[in-house]
Amino acid sequence: MGIINLWETLLHTYIDNPVVTSAVIAVVTTIGVIAYDVLYGNTIKKPTVRELNIYPIKSCSEIPVDNAAVTPIGFRNDRIFQVVSKVNGKWCYCTPREKRFAKLFQITPILVVDREGIKLKLSSPHRKGNFTLELEDAITSRLVATVIGDEEFTLVDYGDAVAKWLGEAMDVDNPRLVGIPPGEGGFRRQVVVNADQGEALPTSSSSSSSQKYPLSLADEAPFLLTTRESLSDLNLRLKTSGKNAVDMRRFRPNIVIDGLHPWEEDSLKRVRIGGVEFHAWQRCGRCTMTTIDRDTLLRKGGEPLKTLGEFRERQNGQRNFGMHLIPVLDGDKMKGGGDGANNIKVGDDFEILEFDDERQAEWKRLFGGLARGPTVRDLKPSADDTSATKKKTWGEAMRECPFK
């Protein structure tokens, strides 16, 4: 029986008793409002960009921005620097996965462009006094360092002064600030396939199976997408089990949206933000970095990783939160217009162009019950993916890093 028919039946039954009639009207109206909200409350909500973040130095603090320029390797100025330290004669990237490097999280890097040039300004609660590096006038050299696992590249070393400041801010000996060589074609890094995820590199009608996707100093892909709904669902599970909620900083996304159902980002295959198209490629397996409180740097109870393991763990131990995006390329260039057309901003619509059949079926099976009504169209995907390139798994890369 529909809500309206139920209301009419009860009204006619108790029409002779005004007090009862008023009570019935109030109760049934409330039930109707709740039912409508549950069934249809999300139907007009469009997926929308809510946050954009740039991380100039890998593993350091995020810089929230209102708009950002998309390049094939990531947002402009995103993860173009990293901090390295020498271990057993080899320069290796520093990561807060190691407790001694956790203070990296609280170093705030800001890039400033003015008439005097480009400056990198650094601040930290663990070091009195800020540091300003004049990038164009810096005395530099070249240094070979790892980026992740055993990947080695020749990078720019920005000198002793900034290295000294970083050492005092991090409380470690002899770190170096290195970066991608500016304006050079020698840095040729590609996206990192996590074979444990079992997800192939994307192809399109304008590219062959040998399409190469360039990458900055980020771990795996140029962009990481997360959703507010998935964070809300995770926090509900944490609170239900008596644990503390976490904020989005734990997951270090570049793009945060809302307007999807919890975990529905798993099912995406191709999307558009502003005028830029992206492949929704590989799910992001999370590591112990998510267990570090960004304000206190404490690691308590292994959360949220433990809770993710209870309902988000896939084969090969991948506990996923977020989706990696790759810009759709036409040869070596992004699909789109000039620089202006490649900018995206907070408030942009997040358009779903294509779903992945297999991933969408998996999402519906595992999380379809969390949906409160359709918020996106169900489009038929194309079958143009190739098998995953054989590369070292994430676990293998982590085990080979000399920081234990």
Side-chain angles (χ1 to χ4, degrees):
M1 180 181 293
I3 293 294
I4 300 300
N5 291 337
L6 175 61
W7 188 90
E8 291 177 343
T9 300
L10 291 172
L11 180 61
H12 287 302
T13 301
Y14 297 103
I15 194 67
D16 294 329
N17 188 329
V19 175
V20 174
T21 299
S22 297
V24 169
I25 291 173
V27 170
V28 175
T29 301
T30 301
I31 293 173
V33 170
I34 293 173
Y36 185 87
D37 181 66
V38 169
L39 293 174
Y40 305 109
N42 284 346
T43 54
I44 61 173
K45 190 171 186 180
K46 296 174 64 176
T48 304
V49 175
R50 297 303 181 191
E51 299 174 33
L52 297 173
N53 296 301
I54 292 175
Y55 306 82
I57 303 178
K58 182 176 179 175
S59 294
C60 289
S61 179
E62 73 283 351
I63 305 299
V65 295
D66 292 327
N67 61 79
V70 177
T71 77
I73 67 171
F75 281 140
R76 185 172 296 159
N77 299 324
D78 182 63
R79 295 176 173 95
I80 57 174
F81 305 99
Q82 70 177 27
V83 179
V84 298
S85 184
K86 204 166 193 178
V87 176
N88 297 327
K90 184 177 182 179
W91 290 102
C92 288
Y93 67 103
C94 298
T95 167
R97 297 180 188 95
E98 306 302 320
K99 290 184 179 179
R100 57 179 167 152
F101 298 135
K103 290 179 181 178
L104 273 172
F105 275 147
Q106 295 182 341
I107 293 175
T108 300
I110 298 177
L111 280 167
V112 177
V113 180
D114 57 26
R115 287 178 296 180
E116 298 176 359
I118 305 174
K119 303 178 180 68
L120 177 65
K121 294 189 174 183
L122 305 177
S123 62
S124 168
H126 307 288
R127 168 63 160 83
K128 289 184 179 180
N130 300 338
F131 186 89
T132 299
L133 177 65
E134 305 278 353
L135 291 173
E136 295 176 326
D137 297 330
I139 299 175
T140 63
S141 59
R142 291 294 189 267
L143 183 152
V144 176
T146 63
V147 175
I148 188 169
D150 59 354
E151 283 189 303
E152 286 189 331
F153 293 90
T154 300
L155 303 171
V156 175
D157 182 339
Y158 283 94
D160 295 337
V162 67
K164 181 177 184 296
W165 188 94
L166 285 168
E168 293 170 356
M170 296 167 60
D171 194 24
V172 299
D173 294 331
N174 194 31
R176 308 296 293 183
L177 178 70
V178 297
I180 296 173
E184 294 185 12
F187 186 79
R188 289 284 187 267
R189 186 166 179 247
Q190 306 297 324
V191 296
V192 178
V193 175
N194 181 350
D196 288 338
Q197 296 285 13
E199 292 168 332
L201 279 170
T203 61
S204 67
S205 58
S206 62
S207 65
S208 67
S209 59
S210 61
Q211 174 73 61
K212 302 296 185 183
Y213 294 101
L215 183 60
S216 65
L217 299 174
D219 281 354
E220 293 185 10
F223 298 90
L224 178 64
L225 170 79
T226 62
T227 76
R228 288 181 172 179
E229 287 81 5
S230 294
L231 180 64
S232 294
D233 182 66
L234 171 60
N235 280 331
L236 179 62
R237 295 169 190 267
L238 288 168
K239 291 176 182 177
T240 300
S241 59
K243 298 165 185 173
N244 293 329
V246 298
D247 61 43
M248 195 66 88
R249 291 180 297 169
R250 298 286 186 104
F251 302 101
R252 300 178 66 77
N254 295 110
I255 303 168
V256 181
I257 67 168
D258 66 5
L260 297 186
H261 301 307
W263 314 109
E264 193 175 14
E265 62 272 21
D266 286 2
S267 65
L268 306 177
K269 186 172 183 180
R270 195 163 53 90
V271 302
R272 183 188 293 120
I273 308 173
V276 184
E277 291 185 19
F278 296 88
H279 299 288
W281 166 46
Q282 180 171 268
R283 284 170 276 197
C284 184
R286 310 315 304 216
C287 69
T288 56
M289 282 177 66
T290 62
T291 67
I292 305 170
D293 185 294
R294 295 304 188 265
D295 297 318
T296 66
L297 301 182
L298 296 177
R299 311 174 190 223
K300 291 185 178 180
E303 294 293 357
L305 206 54
K306 285 184 178 179
T307 295
L308 283 173
E310 294 172 2
F311 73 105
R312 289 288 292 167
E313 186 166 335
R314 298 178 67 239
Q315 66 270 23
N316 301 320
Q318 296 299 300
R319 292 166 285 189
N320 297 321
F321 189 104
M323 178 67 76
H324 285 128
L325 304 183
I326 300 175
V328 175
L329 300 180
D330 185 2
D332 292 332
K333 298 181 179 180
M334 290 194 315
K335 186 176 180 180
D339 287 344
N342 292 337
N343 285 355
I344 66 176
K345 63 184 183 300
V346 172
D348 274 347
D349 289 342
F350 182 87
E351 303 175 72
I352 299 174
L353 304 178
E354 194 173 355
F355 287 99
D356 181 283
D357 261 342
E358 184 177 341
R359 293 200 303 237
Q360 189 177 51
E362 179 183 319
W363 172 78
K364 288 180 177 179
R365 175 174 56 84
L366 295 175
F367 304 109
L370 298 176
R372 298 195 339 166
T375 60
V376 292
R377 295 175 311 186
D378 191 359
L379 302 180
K380 190 173 183 178
S382 61
D384 58 2
D385 283 342
T386 59
S387 60
T389 305
K390 292 292 184 181
K391 291 188 177 181
K392 291 182 179 179
T393 68
W394 177 270
E396 290 171 338
M398 290 297 98
R399 285 191 291 272
E400 291 180 6
C401 178
F403 295 136
K404 298 296 183 183

